[in-house]
Amino acid sequence: MNVPVHALKGIGARAEEQMAAMGIYTIKDLLFYFPFRYEDFSVRRLEEVQHDERVTLQGKVHSQPELRFFGKKKSRLTVRVLVDGFLVQAVFFNQPFLKRQIELGQTLLFHGKFDRNRLMINGAIVKTSASEEGALEPVYPLKGDVKLVSLRKWIAQAYEDYGQEIEELLPEPLLGKYKLLPRQQACYYLHYPQNMDMFHQAKRRMVYEELLLFQLKMQYFRKRTRESTDGITKVWAEDELNKFLKDLPFELTEAQHRVLKEILTDLESPYRMNRLLQGDVGSGKTVIAAVALYAAVLAGYQGALMVPTEILAEQHAESLHDLFSSFSVEIGHLSGSSKAKERRETLAKLEAGEIDIITGTHALIQEGVDFYNLGLVITDEQHRFGVAQRRVLRDKGMKPDVLFMTATPIPRTLAITAYGDMDVSTIDEMPKGRKPIETYWAKQDTLPRVLAFIEKQTAKGNQAYVICPLIEESDMLDVQNAIDLHAHIQAVLPNLNIGLMHGRLHADEKDEIMQQFASGEVDVLVSTTVVEVGVNVPNATVMVIYDANRFGLAQLHQLRGRVGRGSDQAYCILLADPKTDAGKERMGIMTETNDGFELSQRDLELRGPGDFFGVKQSGLPLMKVADIIEDYRTLEAARQDAVKLIASNAFWESEVYAGLRRALEEEGVFSTEKID
Ligand code: ADP
Ligand code: MG
């Protein structure tokens, strides 16, 4: 099977070239080049056929065919056919020869697109009976000048000559567990199913195989990363850490306890942590980060907390100061706007080990920043900690544990696909006493009423955000919008203190406004999306998002997450007049759920994985037969199976698993290249 396609009868240099252009080089490639749909030649009843559906109808020829030519070669042939008691007009394009073949009174199959309104079947193909392979004929994706009939012929030939060589990869226990078809049969039925049920069976088998191989690969990488990288075994005084936990102003939720245990176990282990901590906005990730950092500090190491924006970095520095106020932990902050002298001092302290925990943006680990002994890096709301950053640290002789925190709600399916080589911890529970945010969708011209509502809330001592239209083409326009809206709101609500924040402000100015908002001096903050990630002002109860339909669901959810962080009831008001169905649906979804994971799953279904927020960067692999959205149950099952297999001795030794091992080997998985 691993022989070039020209080994097949009737395939010459020309055909070989055509196939190469489609990425088909070997007989095996040809056999596993699957159809993307089938021409369905199973006969349907007229009354159940939808408008515009491609179907096959059976009918008796009721009129002489009429043929008309357009220009030299184009022609149109029509014939009336009696189908289930109705007269249907069948229309054929460019098949003039049918004039002599179709006879009055004959019963034939007509395949084409059905027009319910005009009782027509368009672009028809005629058949005397179902084809020999069955009622469904494969339609393959084509490239270049390859013809469907040729490809069908080549694949049929390949199957005839080499089909018996298709070997089973899956071990008996797994085949039995899921009642999967044997590989050879599944391959055959994917090309030539006799009915849709058979197709589903065949596809189910191939999808599982593909996902299992994929997950085995990920699990193998994960195991190898763990075992080939010597991390730092951290030892700390348990009671010191417990003191810190007792000192917290709240009880950790059960989910927080669980993920904390997972993280601390990693820190203690000789392996290097490579873990993703996901939890919806407001689920309390920061405090988990603080505990982990403290454990590292108690063990005698430094920790770094990296975030995407300066505002967030400062806020984290402050949160840490608060949390550690009665503990002797030195917290430093590196910011792009720090004065040169200040910066030099901080860097010197960091290098001397006088700073225990440092916060800052991603620049933290680059640009000549040296640590005394960095033991833990946590990145918050950040893309995954990439190979490049890891290398920077390794070159500095450091092998810290790495924890990556995200509130970008990634549906579980995507997480286990994109981050399959990482360990994943999930906080799936909100702190007690949180009231779900009430979300409303209103027309933009209701702004006056919304402002009246804001006035009421501020009278109760609460605060509000108003997020401005997002205009992607120009952030200058964003700024202008924010300025205008700010002026408008200040005029309508003259007794309130309205703050303004946008990306064009100087870092100092931003800080000042943020401070004023956090302290309650500013009642309403009009802002562009700079407040999107992480900002924590628990007293704010209203989030108004202007032109909300211009945002994606993930971003709307992030913005909404800025309120509802205290014990008061919070509200999110989406002002939007969406024109598209998808836009309306997005607004609807926002009002229906507060759960980031559910929301992201629906977002994914709405948009497909290619468009999904952040997925492009995450490098999701392309699947041949599987669809990670539709097949997510199988993906989960395959993952569990893969985890067990990779950890078992049998997988590595037993003959039963030789097929799987060989398949992985063929993909180059077991190459010995080092990956840390
Ligand atoms: P996120 O996961 O979005 O980063 P934060 O860590 O900012 O969430 O936490 C949101 C708010 O919830 C903070 O004010 C934090 O102090 C508070 N919080 C965290 N954990 C708990 C808890 N177990 N019980 C009550 N409040 C909590
Ligand atoms: Mg956070």
Side-chain angles (χ1 to χ4, degrees), residues 600-611:
S600 65
Q601 185 69 40
R602 293 180 64 175
D603 195 17
L604 184 60
E605 283 158 14
L606 212 58
R607 293 202 264 167
D611 299 328

Side-chain angles (χ1 to χ4, degrees), residues 281-282 284-286 312 316 380-381 405 407 533-535 562 565:
V281 262
K285 294 182 294 296
T286 312
L312 198 52
H316 271 325
D380 191 12
E381 315 284 5
M405 305 201 293
V533 272
V535 175
R562 295 312 104 215
R565 304 174 82 82

Side-chain angles (χ1 to χ4, degrees), residues 346-482:
T346 306
L347 287 177
K349 278 188 182 168
L350 201 57
E351 194 169 357
E354 287 160 27
I355 287 177
D356 299 311
I357 299 172
I358 184 109
T359 61
T361 62
H362 234 177
L364 253 190
I365 56 148
Q366 274 131 3
E367 297 168 19
V369 180
D370 287 309
F371 288 85
Y372 176 67
N373 60 353
L374 181 62
L376 172 62
V377 173
I378 301 182
T379 72
D380 191 12
E381 315 284 5
Q382 190 86 63
H383 295 312
R384 69 189 292 182
F385 195 71
V387 178
Q389 285 121 339
R390 238 178 263 274
R391 190 164 301 135
V392 170
L393 290 179
R394 193 188 51 200
D395 291 348
K396 289 181 179 174
M398 285 176 284
K399 292 172 176 173
D401 286 309
V402 176
L403 179 68
F404 161 63
M405 305 201 293
T406 181
T408 300
I410 306 168
R412 197 176 145 68
T413 16
L414 284 191
I416 65 180
T417 310
Y419 305 109
D421 57 339
M422 295 173 105
D423 296 297
V424 178
S425 293
T426 306
I427 307 184
D428 51 7
E429 177 190 1
M430 284 291 178
K432 283 191 194 61
R434 287 276 170 78
K435 299 189 183 78
I437 301 164
E438 286 181 22
T439 303
Y440 301 96
W441 166 26
K443 292 224 166 79
Q444 296 202 10
D445 58 17
T446 59
L447 184 65
R449 277 170 53 201
V450 172
L451 294 182
F453 178 69
I454 288 180
E455 199 173 16
K456 263 199 221 144
Q457 287 286 310
T458 53
K460 281 199 261 174
N462 289 119
Q463 293 163 279
Y465 294 94
V466 179
I467 304 298
C468 274
L470 168 93
I471 293 163
E472 283 178 23
E473 301 84 66
S474 147
D475 77 333
M476 204 51 224
L477 275 175
D478 282 3
V479 171
Q480 195 52 49
N481 276 319

